[in-house]
Amino acid sequence: MSAGTYSMGDRIPVASIADTTAALAEVVLPTFAKGVIIRRPKVMRLAERMDLDRRAVRRMQKLRETYGDGPLMLRLPLRNQALILSPGDVQRVLEGTPHPFSPASAEKTAALAHLEPKASLISEGPERTERRRFNEEVLDSRRDVHRMAGHFMEVVGQEAAGMLEAARAQKELSWDEFFTGWYRIVRRVVLGDAARDDYELTDMLAKLRAAGNWAFLHPGHKGRLERFHRRVDEHLRRAEPGTLAAVIAATPHTPETAPSHQVAHWFFAFDPGGMSTFRGLALLLAHPEQEARARREIAEAGPGGRANLPFLRAAILEALRLWPTTPVILRETREETLWRGGAMPKDTSVLIFAPFFHRDDANLPHADTFHPDLWLDGPRQGGWPLVPFSGGPGICPARNLVPMLGSATIAALLASGRLALKDPSRLDASRPMPALLDNYTLAFVPHS
Ligand code: HEM
């Protein structure tokens, strides 16, 4: 049954052609143009200047005003596409993962097949169960502080010192400098010191990810894909003490586990981890009272306590609320599902647009301000969905590891001196926070 056979009334509402076109132009297209697998810096710059993300949220609000709280089907000729518009439905879809709402949507599978065809996110059935278990165990999903945190903190301290040294020499901490240091941390944490300067590994990954941006349209790079996985396997075999590779070696796996495919996903996903850390630092520096609070927390914890800094973690979570790095959470229905408005057919692509919920000023009092307490009081505002790491059984298994490493990095940078935003007008605490903060052009200046 196609979405076109449904109409208002006993069936799920279907958007008019004009509203469908507007949703595609203002919500879907800009999100994909920015690059879902690897960001396109030029488009990011343009999107910040043109305030495209705010327009997307406004468009979603208008759709809710017109059609009620959904789900809403778009009027498309070749596919069934639903938009989720209410908090209860977000919860239903996320809790109903992986069945009937499978995370292995056709788009994700096409995009990630270039890089990690056996990743948990695009697996189904028993293979997904095994790969998800493996991810949760190795990444210590349910613990605030990873079991290898002691070693990770040493790595973060050393590499943050390197970032600062370069920043002092160049009189600024640019994204490129930060990102180079961040990926040194990532390679050392995941694979060990011997991988610290394996830039080729990260370059191969970037090229495979760029192919992923074109999903169905790209022929792929079979040779490079094999080389990449071989290289990851070589690093994993060393199982350097203190690393995730050592945890992998000690974690049972089956022939289905495909550790190098899970690790490929981690490498790619640490990219948004870096973005949110850099943006979290910017948020703190733009809000002097919050910076003072962060400095107090860092001082009280001391260098040995940096694995657990709740306030700094909350700053990173706020960066992810304000500028979610996974703006679109996609599911695909594996059977017909029933909703208030009627039935939604099997094989419908269901889209949760995180910025709509994170920045909905009609429902969230702090929608456009930096408000870390939102996360300290509990991760949900009166049941309102804040889903930078998704939710339910498909929630990101690194939801604790990322803020742990990011907050320790910010702590190490702040503890060694003073930094200021290079262009303070981009993040003015007296104004609403911008709809997008392009991390590529963000920079900090060290001062005494
Ligand atoms: C800021 C950084 C990150 C954010 C915002 C983030 C967010 C997310 C989100 C929203 C999902 C669900 C995607 C979906 O349902 O389509 C997800 C899944 C996943 N993430 Fe992350 N992630 C981040 C970093 C990481 C890192 C660093 C790792 C590994 C070290 C990781 C491992 C995973 C895995 C394995 C999945 C798939 C889970 C499954 O199959 O159920 N993520 N992440």
Side-chain angles (χ1 to χ4, degrees), residues 321 360-369 371 374 381 384:
R321 178 183 68 83
D360 184 7
D361 53 3
N363 287 288
L364 262 188
H366 302 289
D368 293 323
T369 52
H371 193 63
L374 206 52
Q381 175 95 342
W384 194 257

Side-chain angles (χ1 to χ4, degrees), residues 108 120-121 128 132 135 266 269 325 331 388-389 396-398 402:
K108 272 186 263 180
S120 167
L121 188 61
R128 173 178 166 78
R132 172 85 206 178
N135 274 285
W266 303 350
T325 51
R331 294 288 180 266
F389 287 109
C396 176
V402 167

Side-chain angles (χ1 to χ4, degrees), residues 82-218:
L83 301 182
I84 295 297
L85 297 174
S86 81
D89 291 348
V90 172
Q91 198 184 351
R92 174 175 173 193
V93 170
L94 296 182
E95 290 298 334
T97 297
H99 195 86
F101 304 108
S102 172
S105 68
E107 294 83 356
K108 272 186 263 180
T109 306
L112 295 178
H114 293 284
L115 167 64
E116 44 185 55
K118 297 180 185 171
S120 167
L121 188 61
I122 51 169
S123 306
E124 304 221 47
E127 288 177 346
R128 173 178 166 78
T129 308
E130 163 56 17
R131 293 168 186 166
R132 172 85 206 178
R133 173 204 67 81
F134 175 83
N135 274 285
E136 287 188 10
E137 276 184 41
V138 177
L139 300 173
D140 259 351
S141 271
R142 286 161 217 272
R143 294 171 53 171
D144 287 343
V145 176
H146 194 277
R147 75 194 96 154
M148 294 294 183
H151 179 67
F152 295 173
M153 292 302 108
E154 282 173 32
V155 170
V156 168
Q158 290 160 7
E159 298 301 343
M163 287 179 202
L164 277 173
E165 206 176 301
R168 288 197 191 101
Q170 288 162 23
K171 304 206 168 14
E172 78 170 37
L173 178 61
S174 65
W175 167 256
D176 286 347
E177 208 55 66
F178 171 81
F179 192 69
T180 303
W182 174 255
Y183 262 92
R184 283 194 192 120
I185 296 176
V186 172
R187 286 189 298 266
R188 290 180 69 187
V189 159
V190 179
L191 303 174
D193 292 354
R196 177 184 188 264
D197 298 321
D198 190 352
Y199 300 105
E200 204 191 335
L201 182 82
T202 327
D203 286 350
M204 276 194 271
L205 180 76
K207 292 198 175 102
L208 292 166
R209 289 174 63 196
N213 265 357
W214 295 102
F216 304 98
L217 302 176
H218 199 287

